[in-house]
Amino acid sequence: MKERIRMEDVEPGALQAMLAVEKYVDRTSIDKKLKELIKIRASQINGCAFCLNMHTKEARELGETEQRIYALNAWRETPYFTPEERAVLALTEAVTLVAESHVPDDVYNDAAQYFDEKQLSEIIMQIVVINSWNRLAVTARKIPE
């Protein structure tokens, strides 16, 4: 497979804007491991090999276990995730698949049981940002390093 376009070379201003939003989500109060679970799960759904490669490495560096990383694609069928993580993973799936799911009330309300509005906003922004990165990388056919 060959990379289609290097948007960072063609449109560096767009990349800088994306990096500014990324800096915002990096500074939020959400647990770093939870952020990586969001990134991995959305990237699995979107089929983004570049982001999967990057974020599984980053999750491991933060101490995430191989077992949980491998089971993330089937999180509902495992006992490895907390109720809070499950709520975030369900929300990640609903937001990632927004055209299909329209983020059902029960999914949103479940997450709202565990997180206040500020945290929930930060989580939603993390989901939106990784979905944006996935769409850029998949469209450009960005090759994993």
Side-chain angles (χ1 to χ4, degrees):
M1 185 165 72
K2 183 180 172 209
E3 192 169 342
R4 289 178 172 160
I5 187 171
R6 291 189 47 84
M7 290 185 58
E8 59 271 25
D9 295 338
V10 178
E11 236 357 278
L15 181 64
Q16 292 306 312
M18 283 294 298
L19 289 172
V21 178
E22 183 68 36
K23 278 186 179 182
Y24 158 75
V25 293
D26 284 346
R27 290 189 306 261
T28 62
S29 66
I30 304 307
D31 177 76
K32 290 183 185 306
K33 282 169 116 178
L34 184 57
K35 287 178 187 179
E36 293 305 319
L37 292 178
I38 291 168
K39 292 173 187 180
I40 295 167
R41 186 65 194 117
S43 298
Q44 287 173 332
I45 293 167
N46 291 321
C48 185
F50 182 86
C51 293
L52 280 167
N53 184 59
M54 177 190 304
H55 296 298
T56 54
K57 285 179 183 176
E58 290 176 2
R60 286 182 191 97
E61 288 171 8
L62 291 170
E64 188 56 80
T65 66
E66 296 292 319
Q67 184 178 43
R68 284 171 37 106
I69 291 171
Y70 297 149
L72 193 53
N73 202 35
W75 62 268
R76 285 182 177 85
E77 288 77 40
T78 71
Y80 311 138
F81 301 95
T82 67
E84 294 86 353
E85 289 169 333
R86 290 174 174 281
V88 169
L89 292 170
L91 185 61
T92 299
E93 291 178 357
V95 173
T96 300
L97 300 169
V98 69
E100 296 172 20
S101 74
H102 297 276
V103 188
D105 288 340
D106 62 324
V107 171
Y108 182 88
N109 292 336
D110 189 33
Q113 288 181 48
Y114 301 105
F115 302 96
D116 63 30
E117 285 186 339
K118 181 179 184 330
Q119 293 169 318
L120 205 48
S121 295
E122 292 172 347
I123 290 166
I124 292 166
M125 281 302 299
Q126 182 65 75
I127 298 165
V128 168
V129 171
I130 190 57
N131 272 281
S132 296
W133 285 120
N134 288 166
R135 280 151 177 73
L136 289 170
V138 169
T139 302
R141 289 203 176 135
K142 196 125 178 86
I143 308 299
E145 297 172 358

